[in-house]
C-alpha cells in the first residue's frame, strides 16, 4: 500500500467517527508491516475510547516488527486508565510513524512525538495536515478558542425567507433535504434554537434517521423568560437526549423548579444592555461540558445575534424553488451592527443538488486563522 493512500484511509476512518466520539477527537490509524502491507486499521471507539491506535495494535493480522503506522492525530502521551498510545506504539515493534497533525491538547501536544522519538522511532509530521485538522475542527475550536465550532443551518425559499408571515416553516424544502438535515444532527454534539422556533414549530430536534437515533445531539433553547411550554415535544422527548435552556438570572423561579424536576438543565446567562442573553458565554459553557460541534437551527433572531458577533463558522444552506415574499420571516433578522460591510464574510466551499433543492456549505473567511 502506498503511504499517501494509507493516510487517506486513516482519514476516511476518522471521518466516520465524527459525531460518536463524545468530546474526544475522531482519529484513524492504519498499520502496515515491513513489506508495506496492511495489517490493521481502526478508528476511535464510541465516546472516545478505546483510542484508534489501541484498537489497531490489538487487532493486527500478522507481525508488525519493522512496520509503519499512519495516524491522523498525534498519539496521546496521556491515558488515564491504560498506557499512552505513544508508549504502546514504541513497544509494538513499529519503526516509523506518520502523523497528520499535532494534538492541540496541552497534555499531549508535542509530548506524544517526544515519546516516539525517545523510543527510537522515526516520526514524520504533516501528511494531509489541513485535511486532518479540518476533520476535527470542532475539537480544535473547543481546545484553542474555548468554544465549539458553530454551524448555522438555514432552510430557505429562493428569496431567503424561512417561514411564511404566519410563522409556518414546515415543508419549505423537500424530503431528501430534510433527511440531510437530520444527518447534520447526527454529526453535531448539540443543536440550538431560539424560543420563538419552539413556540411556532414545536420541534423535537432529534435525529430520526433509522439506526442513528442514538446520535441525536443535546438540545439547547435560548429562552430568557422561560416561555417554553411544559408539554412541548422537546420536554416530552427528554428520555431520548438532554435539553438545556439558556435563560436569564431573572426568569421565574417556580418555572425553573418545574423544569428542573422534569430533568431540564437550566443555565443562567448574563444579559447585555439590550436585555439579550450573551450567547458567547453560553458557548464557553458548552465547551466546558465537552461540546465540539454546535448546529444552530434558527430562527432569524438567533441567527442575527450570532452573526452580529461573528460567531458563525459555517453555513449549511438548503434552498428550495419557492418565493415567500417580503412579509415572510427572513433567515436573518435585523443585524445589530453599526455599519454593514460589503466585504465577503463567507466563502462557498461546496454545493450539490438534493432532489429539487440546492444545498450549499459556506465557511467564515477567518475560520482557518485560529489553528
Ligand atoms: N426554515 C428554517 O430553517 C427555520 C428554522 C428555524 C426557525 N424557523 C422559523 O423562524 C421563526 C422563528 O424565528 P424568530 O426569528 O422569530 O425567533 P428565534 O430566533 O427562534 O427566537 C428568538 C427569541 O430567542 C430569545 N433570545 C434570547 N436571547 C437572544 C439573543 N441573544 N439573540 C436572539 N434571540 C434571543 C428571544 O426571546 P426571549 O426574549 O423571550 O428570550 C428572541 O425573541 C418561526 O416561524 C420558525 O418556524 C425556520
Amino acid at each position: 500500500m502506498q503511504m499517501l493512500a494509507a493516510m487517506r484511509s486513516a482519514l476516511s476512518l476518522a471521518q466516520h467517527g465524527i459525531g460518536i466520539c463524545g468530546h474526544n477527537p475522531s482519529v484513524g490509524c492504519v498499520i502496515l508491516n515491513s513489506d508495506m502491507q496492511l495489517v490493521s486499521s481502526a478508528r476511535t471507539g464510541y465516546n472516545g475510547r478505546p483510542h484508534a491506535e489501541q484498537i489497531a495494535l490489538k487487532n493486527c493480522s500478522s507481525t508488525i516488527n519493522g512496520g509503519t503506522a499512519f495516524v491522523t492525530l498525534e498519539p496521546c502521551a496521556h491515558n488515564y486508565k491504560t498506557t499512552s498510545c505513544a508508549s504502546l506504539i514504541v513497544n509494538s515493534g513499529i519503526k516509523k510513524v506518520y502523523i497528520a497533525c499535532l494534538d492541540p491538547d496541552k497534555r499531549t501536544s508535542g509530548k506524544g512525538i517526544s515519546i516516539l522519538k525517545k523510543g527510537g522511532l522515526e516520526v514524520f509530521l504533516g501528511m494531509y495536515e489541513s485535511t486532518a485538522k479540518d476533520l476535527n475542527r470542532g475539537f480544535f475550536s473547543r481546545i484553542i478558542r474555548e468554544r465549539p465550532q458553530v454551524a448555522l443551518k438555514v432552510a430557505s425559499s429562493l428569496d431567503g425567507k424561512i417561514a411564511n408571515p404566519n410563522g409556518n416553516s414546515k415543508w419549505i424544502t423537500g424530503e431528501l433535504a430534510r433527511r440531510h438535515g437530520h444527518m447534520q444532527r447526527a454529526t453535531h454534539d448539540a443543536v440550538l434554537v431560539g424560543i420563538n422556533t419552539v413556540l411556532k414549530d414545536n420541534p423535537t430536534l432529534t435525529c430520526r434517521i433509522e439506526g442513528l437515533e442514538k446520535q441525536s445531539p443535546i438540545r439547547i433553547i435560548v429562552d430568557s423568560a422561560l416561555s417554553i411550554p411544559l408539554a412541548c415535544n422537546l420536554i416530552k422527548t427528554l428520555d431520548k437526549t438532554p435539553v438545556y435552556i439558556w435563560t436569564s438570572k431573572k426568569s421565574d423561579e417556580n418555572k425553573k423548579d418545574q423544569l428542573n424536576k422534569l430533568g431540564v438543565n437550566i443555565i443562567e446567562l448574563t444579559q447585555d444592555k439590550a436585555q439579550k442573553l450573551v450567547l458567547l458565554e453560553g458557548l464557553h459553557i458548552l465547551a466546558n461540558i465537552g461540546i465540539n460541534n454546535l448546529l444552530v437551527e434558527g430562527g432569524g433572531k438567533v441567527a442575527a445575534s450570532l452573526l452580529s458577533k461573528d460567531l458563525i463558522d459555517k453555513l449549511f444552506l438548503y434552498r428550495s424553488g419557492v418565493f415567500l415574499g417580503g412579509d415572510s420571516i427572513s433567515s436573518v433578522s435585523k443585524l445589530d451592527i453599526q455599519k454593514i460591510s460589503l466585504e465577503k464574510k463567507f466563502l462557498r466551499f461546496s454545493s450539490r443538488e438534493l432532489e429539487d433543492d440546492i444545498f450549499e456549505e459556506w465557511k467564515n473567511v477567518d475560520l482557518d486563522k485560529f489553528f
Side-chain angles (χ1 to χ4, degrees):
M1 191 177 205
Q2 282 187 348
M3 292 197 298
L4 290 174
M7 185 61 93
R8 280 201 300 274
S9 203
L11 285 164
S12 165
L13 283 164
Q15 179 70 53
H16 281 92
I18 296 293
I20 62 159
C21 292
H23 64 274
N24 293 280
S26 176
V27 178
C29 174
V30 165
I31 299 175
L32 306 185
N33 64 16
S34 54
D35 295 327
M36 297 302 270
Q37 281 171 335
L38 180 67
V39 285
S40 192
S41 66
R43 68 162 160 76
T44 311
Y46 195 73
N47 261 331
R49 290 288 186 280
H51 286 180
E53 300 91 319
Q54 279 176 290
I55 308 172
L57 286 168
K58 199 171 160 205
N59 296 341
C60 285
S61 60
S62 61
T63 175
I64 48 173
N65 266 342
T68 307
F70 296 82
V71 200
T72 58
L73 186 74
E74 180 181 9
C76 73
H78 64 282
N79 204 335
Y80 296 120
K81 293 191 181 151
T82 52
T83 319
S84 72
C85 290
S87 304
L88 285 176
I89 295 174
V90 167
N91 297 327
S92 70
I94 284 173
K95 289 291 168 231
K96 284 184 193 171
V97 185
Y98 286 82
I99 299 167
C101 62
L102 281 178
D103 189 337
D105 186 331
K106 286 199 177 78
R107 292 168 302 172
T108 282
S109 198
K111 299 186 186 89
I113 289 190
S114 241
I115 295 174
L116 295 171
K117 284 187 174 165
K118 275 187 197 144
L121 278 73
E122 277 187 87
V123 181
F124 305 90
L125 176 68
M127 185 185 270
Y128 288 114
E129 182 180 18
S130 60
T131 315
K133 282 181 168 176
D134 201 40
L135 201 140
N136 275 307
R137 196 190 286 277
F139 170 72
F140 276 81
S141 173
R142 179 171 67 78
I143 302 290
I144 298 170
R145 301 191 293 184
E146 295 175 357
R147 72 161 178 86
Q149 167 169 257
V150 181
L152 171 64
K153 180 198 144 194
V154 177
S156 81
S157 62
L158 281 175
D159 50 345
K161 304 294 179 185
I162 56 168
N164 70 15
N166 304 324
N168 185 3
S169 70
K170 285 236 157 89
W171 324 129
I172 288 186
T173 49
E175 169 70 19
L176 188 59
R178 290 200 300 275
R179 281 180 68 75
H180 197 274
H182 277 257
M183 196 62 210
Q184 304 280 19
R185 289 180 187 164
T187 53
H188 285 73
D189 312 307
V191 59
L192 176 148
V193 293
I195 183 62
N196 292 354
T197 298
V198 176
L199 297 176
K200 281 286 176 197
D201 300 352
N202 195 14
T204 60
L205 302 175
T206 52
C207 170
R208 294 191 291 284
I209 295 177
E210 218 181 314
L212 296 182
E213 296 89 344
K214 282 197 174 143
Q215 280 179 235
S216 289
I218 67 162
R219 298 158 297 167
I220 299 152
I221 318 306
V222 187
D223 179 10
S224 25
L226 284 186
S227 318
I228 189 167
L230 295 177
C232 70
N233 284 333
L234 287 161
I235 292 180
K236 279 186 194 155
T237 52
L238 269 168
D239 58 325
K240 307 257 183 276
T241 173
V243 170
Y244 285 74
I245 300 183
W246 290 357
T247 192
S248 71
K249 297 181 172 56
K250 294 180 233 154
S251 55
D252 183 68
E253 289 298 330
N254 283 337
K255 186 91 179 256
K256 262 183 222 166
D257 282 350
Q258 284 175 308
L259 287 162
N260 267 325
K261 278 185 190 136
L262 288 168
V264 175
N265 302 282
I266 307 285
I267 309 280
E268 292 179 356
L269 299 184
T270 314
Q271 286 173 289
D272 63 16
K273 281 184 196 147
Q275 298 306 302
K276 279 187 185 167
L277 297 175
V278 177
L279 302 181
L280 180 59
E281 195 178 299
L283 296 181
H284 289 320
I285 293 171
L286 287 185
N288 277 335
I289 61 165
I291 300 297
N292 293 330
N293 289 294
L294 171 68
L295 181 67
V296 176
E297 292 206 23
K301 288 192 177 122
V302 163
S305 281
L306 290 165
L307 283 165
S308 305
K309 300 275 185 258
D310 198 16
L311 290 173
I312 300 290
D313 299 312
K314 281 186 177 168
L315 297 173
F316 300 143
L317 196 54
Y318 299 83
R319 241 166 349 118
S320 92
V322 65
F323 283 104
L324 289 177
D327 299 344
S328 296
I329 298 178
S330 293
S331 54
V332 179
S333 63
K334 192 166 170 262
L335 280 176
D336 189 17
I337 41 182
Q338 299 305 315
K339 202 171 143 211
I340 299 280
S341 160
L342 295 181
E343 252 177 68
K344 272 192 190 157
K345 192 65 202 159
F346 289 89
L347 299 173
R348 182 166 53 78
F349 68 94
S350 87
S351 71
R352 59 183 284 207
E353 289 173 19
L354 295 173
E355 292 173 342
D356 293 339
D357 303 316
I358 294 283
F359 171 63
E360 292 166 357
E361 289 180 275
W362 297 71
K363 73 175 183 183
N364 193 310
V365 288
D366 296 326
L367 186 55
D368 294 323
K369 290 186 185 157
F370 78 85
F371 282 140

